Amino acid sequence: MNAIRSVLDRLTGAFCCVLLSVMIVVVVWQVVSRYVLNDPSTFSEELLRFGVIWLSLVGAAYVAGKNKHMSINILVEHATGRKRAALQILIQVFFLLFALGILLPGGVRAVGLTGQQLSPVLQIPMSYIYAAIPTCGVLIAIYALLNIADVVRGAGETPPSSMQEILASED
């Protein structure tokens, strides 16, 4: 399981890093073309919008896989032993249900509905953009299963219980 998580983390993290790097280059080009060349770029705004969509959704899956998503964990903080493990599994089951029940089928439907639509400037099929939704669903589902397996094996990452633990984990 750790090998699967490691490969998935590297691929997902690398994808997000490359995409963010490309977006930075496009933003720089947009500024240069607008203010230096006095000829605003026509493709950059649309490309950045699509990049933000992909980066947000794939990044959300990555963060969910690392158990670093925003959460209110007061119940998990106060639970111990089996109750804590049960709560952690329940949280991952909700992630799994959301991914398999909403993101995946809804995303597949959106991809199907937008297959013939082209983006106004880049002229690429909008289904490429909407493909971020089912991709995110698959990633979240895989990560949720991996997280459940970690909790069952006793290797699950427990959320920090205090601000000191949060700050210590960032050092």
Side-chain angles (χ1 to χ4, degrees):
M1 292 291 184
N2 286 338
I4 294 170
R5 180 184 299 277
S6 177
V7 168
L8 196 56
D9 283 348
R10 277 194 226 124
L11 290 175
T12 308
F15 176 81
C16 289
C17 287
V18 168
L19 184 55
L20 182 61
S21 298
V22 168
M23 290 172 63
I24 290 169
V25 169
V26 172
V27 166
V28 169
W29 169 249
Q30 185 176 27
V31 169
V32 168
S33 68
R34 179 175 304 242
Y35 294 109
V36 176
L37 302 176
N38 205 21
D39 185 24
S41 171
T42 57
F43 77 92
S44 57
E45 185 177 335
E46 190 171 279
L47 185 63
L48 289 169
R49 185 178 320 121
F50 297 157
V52 165
I53 291 168
W54 271 92
L55 188 62
S56 299
L57 289 170
V58 174
Y62 181 76
V63 169
K66 295 280 193 184
N67 275 325
K68 299 293 183 186
H69 49 81
M70 288 179 53
S71 64
I72 300 172
N73 55 2
I74 190 166
L75 293 176
V76 176
E77 283 179 9
H78 289 88
T80 58
R82 292 177 151 248
K83 288 181 183 178
R84 184 180 202 127
L87 284 171
Q88 289 173 324
I89 289 173
L90 184 64
I91 291 167
Q92 295 306 317
V93 166
F94 284 136
F95 270 109
L96 190 60
L97 290 173
F98 178 70
L100 296 178
I102 295 173
L103 290 175
L104 194 57
V108 168
R109 182 180 164 129
V111 168
L113 290 173
T114 59
Q116 300 301 317
Q117 296 176 0
L118 297 177
S119 67
V121 177
L122 296 174
Q123 294 295 300
I124 59 172
M126 289 301 293
S127 59
Y128 292 177
I129 311 313
Y130 282 94
I133 301 169
T135 302
C136 175
V138 169
L139 289 171
I140 287 178
I142 293 169
Y143 273 126
L145 291 171
L146 291 171
N147 289 342
I148 289 170
D150 283 349
V151 171
V152 169
R153 285 185 299 132
E157 186 174 322
T158 58
S161 61
S162 67
M163 188 54 103
Q164 287 85 9
E165 286 183 35
I166 293 170
L167 295 174
S169 69
E170 292 179 359
D171 289 340

